Each structure stands twice: as C-alpha cells, then as structure tokens.
C-alpha cells in the first residue's frame, strides 16, 4: 500500500463525527512529508499481549538522568524479533504497520517522545528518529495552511 493509499485508509477508518476525516486530510501533507524521508512503506513494531506497542526508555550516554521514551520500528519481522530493545514482557509479538499509521498513532501517544525507524535490516544504524515535537510542529503547520483565513473585517472603503 503506497503512502496515498495509507492516507485514504486512515481517512476511511476515522470516526464519522464530521470533523476527524477532514482533520486527517488537513494534516496529511505533514504525515506524507515525514514518511517520504523514510525508506519503507511499512515497519514492524513490537507489541505486548494486550496489543500495546512496546515503549523503550533510552538514556543519554553522557547524562544518564536524561531519558526519553521511544517506539522502535523495524524494516523486517526478523529485525523486530531479534531486537535488543524487546520488552521484558513474556508475550511480545511484532506486527507490520503502515508508516503513516505509525506517525498518526504517535500523535496520540502521551508518553512517547520519539519513534526510531531502523532503515536497514540487520543494522541499528542508520536509523531515523522522528520526535513527537517534530511531528507536532509539522502537523500544526500543515493544519494552519489548510485553515481558512479568519475574517478580520472588510478593508473595503
């Protein structure tokens, strides 16, 4: 499924509340731009038996008190299964998820700071980190571009 099809699926599965589908369409350019910088159309994400995505806490090498919580996205099932970042949970499985859906889910994940996309099978580098702040900034910009300008009174005299 290509990026446009992923966006269409996201819109089609959005709640039909009259707002969410148009909101998804409004932020689609931001999601597409970020996904366009990644190598794969889908990644594998580890999840627990209760279907929650595995979140890994990373510490800064030089400043161990600086932590961030990340979701790791892998290019293959084998990479996800062999990951050093697998959860300590007993029942972890990996599932394929379209890249647009990963980015969209990230918007709703309160405790996640970033998603780390591993780009090459069998290698931990290079990896692309997409921070939640970077994603939020791109979404905000895309949404503001789509909003109609506010009516500030007529300048006609």
């Amino acid at each position: 499924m290509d990026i446009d099809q992923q966006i269409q699926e996201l819109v089609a599965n959005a709640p039909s509340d009259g707002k969410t589908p148009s909101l998804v369409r409004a932020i689609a350019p931001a999601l597409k731009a970020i996904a366009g910088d990644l190598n794969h159309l889908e990644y594998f994400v580890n999840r627990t038996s209760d279907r929650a995505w595995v979140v890994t806490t990373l510490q800064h090498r030089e400043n161990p008190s600086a932590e961030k919580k990340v979701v790791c996205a892998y290019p293959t099932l084998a990479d996800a299964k062999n990951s050093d970042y697998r959860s300590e949970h007993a029942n972890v499985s990996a599932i394929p998820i379209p890249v647009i859906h990963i980015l969209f889910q990230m918007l709703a994940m309160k405790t996640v700071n970033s998603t780390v996309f591993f780009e090459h099978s069998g290698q931990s580098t290079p990896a692309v980190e997409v921070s939640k702040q970077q994603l939020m900034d791109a979404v905000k910009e895309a949404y503001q571009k789509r909003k109609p300008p506010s009516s500030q009174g007529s300048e006609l005299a």
Side-chain angles (χ1 to χ4, degrees), residues 56-75:
T56 302
T57 302
L58 300 178
Q59 292 180 320
H60 192 279
R61 288 182 184 153
E62 296 171 10
N63 182 6
S65 64
E67 293 182 342
K68 62 181 163 184
K69 296 187 181 295
V70 302
V71 169
C72 296
Y74 302 93

Side-chain angles (χ1 to χ4, degrees), residues 24-43:
V24 171
R25 281 190 286 278
I27 66 171
L31 299 175
K32 286 172 69 171
I34 292 171
D37 290 338
L38 300 168
N39 290 344
H40 303 282
L41 293 173
E42 78 175 7
Y43 289 83

Side-chain angles (χ1 to χ4, degrees), residues 44-94:
F44 289 82
V45 173
N46 286 317
R47 70 176 185 180
T48 61
S49 58
D50 65 354
R51 301 173 50 120
W53 289 5
V54 172
V55 177
T56 302
T57 302
L58 300 178
Q59 292 180 320
H60 192 279
R61 288 182 184 153
E62 296 171 10
N63 182 6
S65 64
E67 293 182 342
K68 62 181 163 184
K69 296 187 181 295
V70 302
V71 169
C72 296
Y74 302 93
T76 69
L77 178 60
D79 290 315
K81 285 184 174 184
N82 296 325
S83 166
D84 291 339
Y85 301 112
R86 279 184 74 96
S87 172
E88 295 175 3
H89 302 333
N91 296 319
V92 173
S93 60

Side-chain angles (χ1 to χ4, degrees), residues 129-149:
E129 180 178 1
V130 176
S131 74
K132 187 168 186 174
Q133 189 60 53
Q134 172 190 357
L135 181 59
M136 295 293 284
D137 290 346
V139 162
K140 182 178 178 182
E141 183 179 327
Y143 183 71
Q144 287 176 339
K145 286 181 181 177
R146 290 278 306 252
K147 276 177 61 175

Side-chain angles (χ1 to χ4, degrees), residues 113-135:
N113 302 102
S114 300
T115 298
V116 176
F117 294 90
F118 294 98
E119 297 291 41
H120 300 287
S121 183
Q123 300 175 13
S124 61
T125 58
V128 176
E129 180 178 1
V130 176
S131 74
K132 187 168 186 174
Q133 189 60 53
Q134 172 190 357
L135 181 59

